[in-house]
Amino acid sequence: FHDITHSPAKTILALDDDSTMDKQLKSVFPEKHVELFQREEDFLAATSRNESALVLVDYDFGGARTGLDLITGHGLT
């Protein structure tokens, strides 16, 4: 497994339908700028503006597809 706590990214972009993830991610990554999205469209727009960000996607984020489908379908690896 990859230890994401050592990522050089200064920004974390996350997609999750659980709004409490914002607080949890900020506590795990206090030195990073965290943006949590609950809408797939907003998340994808942010990832296209910030290609150096660490991207995190919930497997079941409430969309019509899984998080893995989203990651592979949009080349977010």
Side-chain angles (χ1 to χ4, degrees):
F1 291 98
H2 179 73
D3 184 355
I4 62 173
T5 60
H6 294 116
S7 171
K10 293 180 170 71
T11 300
I12 295 174
L13 302 175
L15 176 63
D16 199 310
D17 57 341
D18 180 355
S19 62
T20 65
M21 284 304 295
D22 183 54
K23 186 176 181 180
Q24 293 174 22
L25 287 170
K26 287 178 179 177
S27 72
V28 173
F29 300 101
E31 73 288 352
K32 300 196 186 292
H33 175 73
V34 175
E35 293 183 48
L36 178 68
F37 299 90
Q38 293 182 308
R39 289 178 13 104
E40 181 179 334
E41 298 81 16
D42 298 336
F43 171 76
L44 290 173
T47 62
S48 68
R49 290 190 305 267
N50 191 344
E51 294 180 5
S52 64
L54 176 62
V55 176
L56 303 176
V57 181
D58 184 15
Y59 182 81
D60 182 16
F61 60 88
R65 54 188 164 178
T66 69
L68 290 177
D69 294 334
L70 180 73
I71 290 168
T72 58
H74 288 275
L76 300 176
T77 56

